[in-house]
Tab-separated table of all heavy atoms in Angstrom:
chain	number	residue	atom	x	y	z
A	16	ARG	N	55.336	-32.817	16.395
A	16	ARG	CA	54.538	-32.993	17.579
A	16	ARG	C	54.034	-34.368	17.895
A	16	ARG	O	53.971	-35.132	16.899
A	16	ARG	CB	53.316	-31.997	17.438
A	16	ARG	CG	52.436	-32.335	16.365
A	16	ARG	CD	51.329	-31.235	16.165
A	16	ARG	NE	50.423	-31.552	15.076
A	16	ARG	CZ	49.459	-30.579	14.616
A	16	ARG	NH1	49.433	-29.373	15.163
A	16	ARG	NH2	48.640	-30.912	13.640
A	17	GLN	N	53.677	-34.702	19.065
A	17	GLN	CA	53.314	-36.112	19.351
A	17	GLN	C	52.248	-36.076	20.416
A	17	GLN	O	52.246	-35.448	21.498
A	17	GLN	CB	54.563	-36.798	19.862
A	17	GLN	CG	54.345	-38.257	20.002
A	17	GLN	CD	55.719	-39.024	20.291
A	17	GLN	OE1	56.575	-38.391	20.704
A	17	GLN	NE2	55.658	-40.390	20.004
A	18	LEU	N	51.280	-36.885	20.231
A	18	LEU	CA	50.242	-37.275	21.223
A	18	LEU	C	50.593	-38.600	21.901
A	18	LEU	O	51.400	-39.416	21.255
A	18	LEU	CB	48.892	-37.319	20.607
A	18	LEU	CG	48.289	-35.943	20.280
A	18	LEU	CD1	47.035	-36.169	19.458
A	18	LEU	CD2	47.986	-35.263	21.465
A	19	PRO	N	50.167	-38.861	23.046
A	19	PRO	CA	50.477	-40.119	23.747
A	19	PRO	C	50.066	-41.289	22.877
A	19	PRO	O	48.932	-41.283	22.310
A	19	PRO	CB	49.621	-40.092	25.099
A	19	PRO	CG	49.494	-38.677	25.327
A	19	PRO	CD	49.446	-37.968	24.028
A	20	GLU	N	50.872	-42.271	22.757
A	20	GLU	CA	50.645	-43.521	21.876
A	20	GLU	C	50.440	-43.322	20.612
A	20	GLU	O	49.916	-44.219	19.846
A	20	GLU	CB	49.422	-44.317	22.657
A	20	GLU	CG	49.701	-44.674	24.110
A	20	GLU	CD	48.472	-45.499	24.686
A	20	GLU	OE1	47.553	-45.764	23.909
A	20	GLU	OE2	48.510	-45.728	25.707
A	21	LYS	N	50.842	-42.162	20.051
A	21	LYS	CA	50.799	-41.950	18.547
A	21	LYS	C	52.205	-41.564	18.123
A	21	LYS	O	53.207	-41.175	18.908
A	21	LYS	CB	49.850	-40.687	18.301
A	21	LYS	CG	48.409	-41.077	18.500
A	21	LYS	CD	47.513	-40.047	17.805
A	21	LYS	CE	46.094	-40.551	17.880
A	21	LYS	NZ	45.164	-39.654	17.109
A	22	GLU	N	52.506	-41.700	16.748
A	22	GLU	CA	53.757	-41.428	16.244
A	22	GLU	C	53.992	-39.856	16.134
A	22	GLU	O	53.040	-39.166	16.065
A	22	GLU	CB	53.814	-42.074	14.864
A	22	GLU	CG	53.858	-43.573	14.789
A	22	GLU	CD	54.167	-44.119	13.392
A	22	GLU	OE1	54.424	-43.232	12.463
A	22	GLU	OE2	54.192	-45.197	13.230
A	23	ARG	N	55.253	-39.585	16.291
A	23	ARG	CA	55.623	-38.230	16.145
A	23	ARG	C	55.358	-37.806	14.669
A	23	ARG	O	55.657	-38.409	13.767
A	23	ARG	CB	57.071	-38.032	16.430
A	23	ARG	CG	57.475	-36.680	16.825
A	23	ARG	CD	58.844	-36.633	17.446
A	23	ARG	NE	58.826	-37.262	18.816
A	23	ARG	CZ	59.919	-37.314	19.580
A	23	ARG	NH1	61.047	-36.752	19.238
A	23	ARG	NH2	59.783	-37.831	20.769
A	24	GLU	N	54.742	-36.582	14.614
A	24	GLU	CA	54.364	-36.178	13.210
A	24	GLU	C	55.066	-34.734	12.863
A	24	GLU	O	55.297	-33.951	13.866
A	24	GLU	CB	52.937	-36.006	12.971
A	24	GLU	CG	52.187	-34.876	13.869
A	24	GLU	CD	50.763	-34.768	13.471
A	24	GLU	OE1	50.276	-35.520	12.625
A	24	GLU	OE2	50.071	-33.770	13.901
A	25	PHE	N	55.436	-34.614	11.678
A	25	PHE	CA	56.025	-33.361	11.200
A	25	PHE	C	55.010	-32.221	11.244
A	25	PHE	O	53.880	-32.311	10.902
A	25	PHE	CB	56.550	-33.652	9.692
A	25	PHE	CG	56.970	-32.352	9.096
A	25	PHE	CD1	58.160	-31.767	9.436
A	25	PHE	CD2	56.287	-31.786	8.133
A	25	PHE	CE1	58.650	-30.703	8.741
A	25	PHE	CE2	56.664	-30.614	7.467
A	25	PHE	CZ	57.972	-30.127	7.853
A	26	VAL	N	55.559	-31.061	11.652
A	26	VAL	CA	54.773	-29.780	11.665
A	26	VAL	C	55.404	-28.840	10.756
A	26	VAL	O	54.667	-28.388	9.859
A	26	VAL	CB	54.713	-29.303	13.031
A	26	VAL	CG1	53.977	-27.855	13.096
A	26	VAL	CG2	54.155	-30.175	14.061
A	27	ALA	N	56.641	-28.465	10.794
A	27	ALA	CA	57.152	-27.440	9.955
A	27	ALA	C	58.713	-27.583	10.069
A	27	ALA	O	59.378	-28.207	11.015
A	27	ALA	CB	56.878	-25.997	10.538
A	28	ALA	N	59.452	-27.128	9.047
A	28	ALA	CA	60.849	-27.119	9.028
A	28	ALA	C	61.350	-25.932	8.266
A	28	ALA	O	60.679	-25.361	7.461
A	28	ALA	CB	61.338	-28.290	8.369
A	29	ILE	N	62.493	-25.462	8.647
A	29	ILE	CA	63.251	-24.438	7.888
A	29	ILE	C	64.587	-24.985	7.524
A	29	ILE	O	65.364	-25.412	8.372
A	29	ILE	CB	63.299	-23.168	8.656
A	29	ILE	CG1	64.006	-22.040	7.913
A	29	ILE	CG2	64.120	-23.295	9.993
A	29	ILE	CD1	63.654	-20.647	8.447
A	30	ARG	N	64.886	-24.817	6.270
A	30	ARG	CA	66.189	-25.515	5.768
A	30	ARG	C	67.018	-24.345	5.351
A	30	ARG	O	66.653	-23.562	4.403
A	30	ARG	CB	65.828	-26.388	4.582
A	30	ARG	CG	66.931	-27.241	4.133
A	30	ARG	CD	66.476	-28.382	3.189
A	30	ARG	NE	65.794	-27.823	1.949
A	30	ARG	CZ	66.394	-27.751	0.790
A	30	ARG	NH1	67.605	-28.227	0.610
A	30	ARG	NH2	65.665	-27.286	-0.266
A	31	ARG	N	68.280	-24.334	5.795
A	31	ARG	CA	69.116	-23.182	5.432
A	31	ARG	C	69.560	-23.377	4.053
A	31	ARG	O	70.118	-24.526	3.655
A	31	ARG	CB	70.408	-23.249	6.355
A	31	ARG	CG	71.200	-21.983	6.202
A	31	ARG	CD	72.518	-22.170	7.082
A	31	ARG	NE	72.385	-22.274	8.429
A	31	ARG	CZ	72.138	-21.171	9.251
A	31	ARG	NH1	72.159	-19.955	8.905
A	31	ARG	NH2	71.942	-21.391	10.494
A	32	VAL	N	69.453	-22.427	3.221
A	32	VAL	CA	69.756	-22.422	1.803
A	32	VAL	C	70.496	-21.177	1.514
A	32	VAL	O	69.819	-19.995	1.534
A	32	VAL	CB	68.598	-22.596	0.932
A	32	VAL	CG1	69.026	-22.541	-0.579
A	32	VAL	CG2	67.747	-23.825	1.197
A	33	GLY	N	71.758	-21.248	1.244
A	33	GLY	CA	72.441	-19.926	1.012
A	33	GLY	C	72.339	-19.040	2.236
A	33	GLY	O	72.651	-19.469	3.312
A	34	GLY	N	72.130	-17.764	1.946
A	34	GLY	CA	71.997	-16.862	3.084
A	34	GLY	C	70.581	-16.731	3.677
A	34	GLY	O	70.363	-16.017	4.651
A	35	GLY	N	69.719	-17.448	3.208
A	35	GLY	CA	68.360	-17.559	3.697
A	35	GLY	C	67.852	-19.012	4.165
A	35	GLY	O	68.582	-19.698	4.528
A	36	GLY	N	66.554	-19.081	4.003
A	36	GLY	CA	65.951	-20.468	4.396
A	36	GLY	C	64.763	-20.829	3.665
A	36	GLY	O	64.017	-19.824	3.195
A	37	MET	N	64.579	-22.068	3.464
A	37	MET	CA	63.297	-22.478	2.718
A	37	MET	C	62.480	-23.184	3.894
A	37	MET	O	62.924	-23.764	4.778
A	37	MET	CB	63.664	-23.592	1.733
A	37	MET	CG	64.399	-23.131	0.505
A	37	MET	SD	63.401	-22.051	-0.595
A	37	MET	CE	62.339	-23.259	-1.154
A	38	THR	N	61.101	-22.938	3.771
A	38	THR	CA	60.232	-23.330	4.858
A	38	THR	C	59.281	-24.392	4.248
A	38	THR	O	58.942	-24.352	3.147
A	38	THR	CB	59.437	-22.265	5.493
A	38	THR	OG1	58.689	-21.536	4.357
A	38	THR	CG2	60.321	-21.258	6.136
A	39	TYR	N	58.873	-25.281	5.125
A	39	TYR	CA	57.965	-26.461	4.743
A	39	TYR	C	56.991	-26.593	5.931
A	39	TYR	O	57.372	-26.481	7.099
A	39	TYR	CB	58.835	-27.715	4.563
A	39	TYR	CG	59.968	-27.494	3.710
A	39	TYR	CD1	61.256	-26.990	4.071
A	39	TYR	CD2	59.861	-27.773	2.282
A	39	TYR	CE1	62.200	-26.724	3.260
A	39	TYR	CE2	60.947	-27.541	1.506
A	39	TYR	CZ	62.166	-27.155	1.952
A	39	TYR	OH	63.202	-26.882	1.086
A	40	TYR	N	55.788	-26.939	5.509
A	40	TYR	CA	54.652	-27.133	6.592
A	40	TYR	C	53.787	-28.401	6.245
A	40	TYR	O	53.704	-28.734	5.149
A	40	TYR	CB	53.755	-25.936	6.556
A	40	TYR	CG	54.498	-24.644	6.860
A	40	TYR	CD1	55.048	-23.785	5.934
A	40	TYR	CD2	54.669	-24.245	8.144
A	40	TYR	CE1	55.655	-22.634	6.152
A	40	TYR	CE2	55.429	-23.056	8.532
A	40	TYR	CZ	55.787	-22.239	7.480
A	40	TYR	OH	56.371	-21.068	7.855
A	41	GLN	N	53.397	-28.943	7.260
A	41	GLN	CA	52.361	-29.996	7.117
A	41	GLN	C	51.156	-29.245	6.694
A	41	GLN	O	50.784	-28.104	7.040
A	41	GLN	CB	52.103	-30.527	8.596
A	41	GLN	CG	51.060	-31.673	8.520
A	41	GLN	CD	50.430	-31.993	9.845
A	41	GLN	OE1	49.281	-31.583	10.087
A	41	GLN	NE2	51.160	-32.598	10.849
A	42	ASP	N	50.327	-29.972	5.765
A	42	ASP	CA	49.218	-29.261	5.145
A	42	ASP	C	48.242	-28.716	6.266
A	42	ASP	O	47.630	-27.653	6.108
A	42	ASP	CB	48.383	-30.342	4.354
A	42	ASP	CG	49.167	-30.561	3.040
A	42	ASP	OD1	50.028	-29.751	2.719
A	42	ASP	OD2	48.833	-31.591	2.384
A	43	SER	N	47.971	-29.467	7.375
A	43	SER	CA	47.047	-28.924	8.326
A	43	SER	C	47.419	-27.694	9.008
A	43	SER	O	46.466	-26.982	9.684
A	43	SER	CB	46.705	-30.041	9.342
A	43	SER	OG	47.823	-30.205	10.267
A	44	VAL	N	48.577	-27.172	9.001
A	44	VAL	CA	48.964	-26.033	9.625
A	44	VAL	C	49.402	-24.844	8.693
A	44	VAL	O	49.645	-23.737	9.082
A	44	VAL	CB	50.180	-26.251	10.638
A	44	VAL	CG1	49.921	-27.467	11.552
A	44	VAL	CG2	51.570	-26.561	9.809
A	45	LYS	N	49.333	-25.161	7.361
A	45	LYS	CA	49.680	-24.082	6.496
A	45	LYS	C	48.787	-22.951	6.603
A	45	LYS	O	47.508	-23.137	6.724
A	45	LYS	CB	49.543	-24.675	5.009
A	45	LYS	CG	50.786	-25.528	4.656
A	45	LYS	CD	50.623	-25.950	3.185
A	45	LYS	CE	51.806	-26.880	2.721
A	45	LYS	NZ	51.717	-27.455	1.362
A	46	GLY	N	49.222	-21.750	6.556
A	46	GLY	CA	48.445	-20.573	6.713
A	46	GLY	C	48.150	-20.181	8.163
A	46	GLY	O	47.686	-19.050	8.423
A	47	ARG	N	48.447	-21.149	9.135
A	47	ARG	CA	48.246	-20.789	10.588
A	47	ARG	C	49.606	-20.745	11.305
A	47	ARG	O	49.695	-19.877	12.207
A	47	ARG	CB	47.307	-21.846	11.175
A	47	ARG	CG	46.028	-21.973	10.559
A	47	ARG	CD	45.090	-22.872	11.226
A	47	ARG	NE	45.553	-24.211	11.366
A	47	ARG	CZ	45.810	-24.955	12.601
A	47	ARG	NH1	45.713	-24.330	13.678
A	47	ARG	NH2	46.292	-26.115	12.506
A	48	PHE	N	50.584	-21.550	10.961
A	48	PHE	CA	51.822	-21.577	11.629
A	48	PHE	C	52.852	-21.036	10.663
A	48	PHE	O	52.813	-20.979	9.469
A	48	PHE	CB	52.262	-23.033	11.870
A	48	PHE	CG	51.408	-23.692	13.005
A	48	PHE	CD1	50.161	-23.211	13.379
A	48	PHE	CD2	51.767	-24.954	13.502
A	48	PHE	CE1	49.463	-23.896	14.347
A	48	PHE	CE2	51.028	-25.520	14.387
A	48	PHE	CZ	49.741	-24.971	14.901
A	49	THR	N	53.833	-20.306	11.280
A	49	THR	CA	55.023	-19.764	10.658
A	49	THR	C	56.162	-20.163	11.281
A	49	THR	O	56.416	-19.903	12.542
A	49	THR	CB	54.906	-18.219	10.428
A	49	THR	OG1	53.620	-17.909	9.837
A	49	THR	CG2	56.053	-17.749	9.645
A	50	ILE	N	57.223	-20.761	10.588
A	50	ILE	CA	58.479	-21.037	11.228
A	50	ILE	C	59.463	-20.000	10.714
A	50	ILE	O	59.523	-19.585	9.550
A	50	ILE	CB	59.015	-22.422	10.886
A	50	ILE	CG1	60.250	-22.811	11.588
A	50	ILE	CG2	59.115	-22.604	9.282
A	50	ILE	CD1	60.586	-24.327	11.487
A	51	SER	N	60.429	-19.530	11.567
A	51	SER	CA	61.325	-18.478	11.269
A	51	SER	C	62.597	-18.808	12.093
A	51	SER	O	62.680	-19.495	13.093
A	51	SER	CB	60.858	-17.142	11.465
A	51	SER	OG	60.526	-16.932	12.927
A	52	ARG	N	63.694	-18.106	11.604
A	52	ARG	CA	65.002	-18.349	12.303
A	52	ARG	C	65.592	-16.926	12.652
A	52	ARG	O	65.557	-16.072	11.796
A	52	ARG	CB	65.906	-19.069	11.371
A	52	ARG	CG	67.276	-19.437	12.052
A	52	ARG	CD	68.360	-19.861	11.005
A	52	ARG	NE	67.870	-20.611	9.977
A	52	ARG	CZ	67.953	-21.978	10.117
A	52	ARG	NH1	68.464	-22.465	11.294
A	52	ARG	NH2	67.566	-22.823	9.099
A	53	ASP	N	66.146	-16.781	13.870
A	53	ASP	CA	66.957	-15.736	14.115
A	53	ASP	C	68.404	-16.178	14.273
A	53	ASP	O	68.784	-16.712	15.383
A	53	ASP	CB	66.508	-15.060	15.466
A	53	ASP	CG	67.251	-13.758	15.827
A	53	ASP	OD1	68.446	-13.648	15.428
A	53	ASP	OD2	66.728	-12.891	16.533
A	54	SER	N	69.180	-15.962	13.298
A	54	SER	CA	70.478	-16.603	13.365
A	54	SER	C	71.373	-15.929	14.386
A	54	SER	O	72.267	-16.662	14.948
A	54	SER	CB	71.214	-16.375	11.881
A	54	SER	OG	70.539	-17.221	10.922
A	55	ALA	N	71.175	-14.651	14.633
A	55	ALA	CA	72.037	-14.026	15.580
A	55	ALA	C	71.843	-14.689	16.974
A	55	ALA	O	72.750	-14.769	17.851
A	55	ALA	CB	71.702	-12.468	15.708
A	56	LYS	N	70.538	-15.032	17.308
A	56	LYS	CA	70.259	-15.772	18.609
A	56	LYS	C	70.353	-17.239	18.501
A	56	LYS	O	69.979	-17.901	19.499
A	56	LYS	CB	68.898	-15.252	19.011
A	56	LYS	CG	68.789	-13.790	19.262
A	56	LYS	CD	67.471	-13.444	19.823
A	56	LYS	CE	67.265	-12.003	20.206
A	56	LYS	NZ	65.932	-11.536	20.569
A	57	ASN	N	70.634	-17.832	17.355
A	57	ASN	CA	70.585	-19.212	17.131
A	57	ASN	C	69.347	-19.803	17.648
A	57	ASN	O	69.332	-20.959	18.281
A	57	ASN	CB	71.900	-19.945	17.838
A	57	ASN	CG	72.548	-20.955	17.076
A	57	ASN	OD1	72.393	-20.918	15.788
A	57	ASN	ND2	73.516	-21.599	17.682
A	58	THR	N	68.292	-19.302	17.263
A	58	THR	CA	66.981	-19.613	17.766
A	58	THR	C	65.914	-19.790	16.551
A	58	THR	O	66.000	-18.967	15.670
A	58	THR	CB	66.386	-18.648	18.765
A	58	THR	OG1	67.259	-18.626	19.913
A	58	THR	CG2	64.941	-19.099	19.275
A	59	VAL	N	65.146	-20.782	16.529
A	59	VAL	CA	64.046	-20.950	15.558
A	59	VAL	C	62.745	-20.841	16.317
A	59	VAL	O	62.672	-21.426	17.378
A	59	VAL	CB	64.223	-22.325	14.813
A	59	VAL	CG1	63.034	-22.681	14.022
A	59	VAL	CG2	65.491	-22.413	13.992
């Protein structure tokens, strides 16, 4: 995410590992945001 005149900052990521995924979050969004993937729809 990015605000005007500020650097882009990391929010969350999902890394494909084997048949599943590992998820990562910025501390400020942990417990509030959830990243997920629907592989059939190629959508995160």
Side-chain angles (χ1 to χ4, degrees):
R16 63 189 181 188
Q17 188 171 24
L18 285 170
E20 301 182 3
K21 290 199 173 181
E22 289 190 4
R23 196 166 292 186
E24 68 172 9
F25 171 75
V26 177
I29 184 164
R30 187 166 66 98
R31 193 187 297 274
V32 178
M37 295 289 291
T38 58
Y39 308 85
Y40 299 94
Q41 183 200 104
D42 286 346
S43 69
V44 307
K45 283 181 182 177
R47 301 189 297 123
F48 292 10
T49 303
I50 189 170
S51 61
R52 184 200 311 273
D53 184 334
S54 296
K56 296 182 178 180
N57 227 11
T58 299
V59 169

